[in-house]
Amino acid sequence: MTIAAGSNRSSRIAGFHKLSPRERLDLVAGFAGLDDAQVTHLANMGNLDPVLADKLIENVIGTMNIPVGVATNMKIDGEDVLIPMATEESSVVAAVCNAAKQNYETGFFTSVSGNLMIAQVQAVDVADPAGARIRILEKRDEIKAACDACDPVLVSLGGGFRDVEVRLLDTPSGTMVVTHLIVDTRDAMGANAVNTMAEKLAPAIAAWSGGRVYLRILSNLADRRLARARAVWKAADIGGEAVRDGMISAYEFAAADPYRAATHNKGIMNGISAVVLATGNDTRAVEAGAHAFAARSGRYTSLTTYEVNKDGNLSASIELPLAVGLIGGATKVHPTARACLAILGVTTAERLARIIAAVGLAQNFSALKALATTGIQKGHMALHAQNIAMMAGAVGEEIDRVARLLVERASVRMDVAQKVLEEVRGG
Ligand code: MEV
């Protein structure tokens, strides 16, 4: 039965947030005219406790299941690691497996610049911005004490205030005095910790600067929290010097051209966001940081670098901000995130960031190799064919059979899939 869409399709629903997920779902079903199957589907929250889902965000009516795949073959800093990846995109997990298989002997080596987050406090209408800057810097000890008092637990774990910097920004409405609080947030992503500190410090900064304070919020350009990874692929193991040189040319293209760099970095984020999501971390924070970092010179460019090393092999590296944590938010309470962290075996945010950087590099290696040789459609299509087969109505064993026939016929299209399914069913 389809619930008829209500005649009064008003989005003003008083008290919607106070209802249970099921009550909200029934209202939404009435509004949108959802059928029984859709309502039953949305009401099934799978392996996420509805009570928890309802606490994670507002106005919950259901959950969105994304597959978690595990990338194999990864050796990071000498240790074998299985990588859980949550993504809706086919080929992403396979790409990491393939890249890692081709350099399994040596694997990936990683490092970080630290766990430092930045909170910004914006002061405007400052009569003497240069003087204000010096006055704020003079208060370093007071600032440190106020920041650390906000989070004694963080301080007890070895984190807390590390430094203060003041920047002067020329804007159409005058020079802004922007104070950066630099805080070691240890195993937390740190947004809550540094935002609390920024809000606490704001009145004092207004007084010291003689201006008015507006924004008090972290910066997602977490360039004091860089993660790095490097790896070497032997030319002989990746198809020879021509493949190596094609990949270097692909990298140089991305390094030189923002249009290509956007796609190149999107591929990197395919891997990075999948692990960030699987571990319950904030994909948007990491993505914002990565892209802002890629544009730090004033021109958007590649997050990775490829070179020929002295032995003639392909030497690749990546460096980007990776603000991820193990405590706080979904990371701590989402059972799938907890299980994924257990698969990774990480006990520090730093190790998690290092692993994620290596995944980004592996992802990019596979994309460049495919692009510089056969193109990505061949590999993509084999997996995409399965999606098309399912969309055409294939179920169970039919899915693989239809997908295989679509690839054999080099025609991964919906109309062809429907005909092939009829053939398969016809025996
Ligand atoms: C597709 O999701 C990602 C690629 O476009 C990345 C790239 O072009 O480097 C294949």
Side-chain angles (χ1 to χ4, degrees), residues 14-256:
F16 190 67
H17 66 285
K18 293 186 193 143
L19 302 177
S20 71
R22 181 62 212 217
E23 288 167 333
R24 288 186 207 118
L25 176 56
D26 287 340
L27 274 174
V28 171
F31 179 96
L34 300 184
D35 63 27
D36 282 351
Q38 288 168 322
V39 172
T40 306
H41 177 78
L42 280 169
N44 176 1
M45 300 230 195
N47 61 9
L48 186 60
D49 179 357
V51 175
L52 174 59
D54 200 30
K55 290 209 173 353
L56 280 174
I57 67 165
E58 309 76 38
N59 292 356
V60 167
I61 61 160
T63 55
M64 169 80 188
N65 274 317
I66 298 286
V68 175
V70 168
T72 54
N73 305 324
M74 288 291 281
K75 185 186 280 178
I76 302 175
D77 302 311
E79 192 187 322
D80 280 43
V81 189
L82 290 176
I83 316 279
M85 302 176 72
T87 179
E88 88 302 341
E89 184 170 336
S90 56
S91 304
V92 165
V93 178
V96 173
C97 299
N98 287 337
K101 194 168 159 191
Q102 292 167 70
N103 76 350
Y104 175 72
E105 291 302 309
T106 46
F108 297 77
F109 296 92
T110 67
S111 61
V112 290
S113 66
N115 292 317
L116 302 182
M117 294 298 284
I118 299 167
Q120 299 189 292
V121 182
Q122 173 206 23
V124 301
D125 295 342
V126 178
D128 58 340
R133 176 174 168 273
I134 300 296
R135 289 196 294 280
I136 295 168
L137 290 173
E138 276 169 15
K139 303 290 183 184
R140 189 180 189 283
D141 291 346
E142 241 173 274
I143 294 171
K144 175 178 166 37
C147 286
D148 286 348
C150 288
D151 203 332
V153 176
L154 180 63
V155 174
S156 75
L157 294 169
F161 174 90
R162 288 292 179 270
D163 209 354
V164 56
E165 291 174 355
V166 183
R167 296 165 57 234
L168 303 185
L169 295 185
D170 284 329
T171 77
S173 45
T175 303
M176 287 180 191
V177 177
V178 179
T179 302
H180 282 196
L181 306 173
I182 299 167
V183 180
D184 186 333
T185 61
R186 311 304 289 181
D187 290 324
M189 184 274 191
N192 280 332
V194 300
N195 290 344
T196 305
M197 292 173 189
E199 291 193 2
K200 178 82 183 296
L201 254 296
I205 287 175
W208 297 327
S209 68
R212 285 184 302 129
V213 161
Y214 276 137
L215 271 58
R216 300 139 293 160
I217 187 79
L218 91 165
S219 170
N220 286 121
L221 176 50
D223 60 1
R224 312 293 176 96
R225 205 171 191 178
L226 300 177
R228 312 178 187 105
R230 65 182 168 85
V232 171
W233 281 268
K234 288 189 184 137
D237 292 342
I238 61 171
E241 290 177 6
V243 174
R244 177 200 69 192
D245 294 345
M247 293 178 68
I248 288 183
S249 175
Y251 150 66
E252 288 174 351
F253 182 11

Side-chain angles (χ1 to χ4, degrees), residues 408-425:
E408 271 169 33
R409 293 178 194 181
S411 201
V412 184
R413 293 196 337 238
M414 187 65 164
D415 55 330
V416 182
Q418 279 158 349
K419 285 201 192 87
V420 170
L421 182 59
E422 276 171 30
E423 285 167 29
V424 166
R425 286 187 176 164

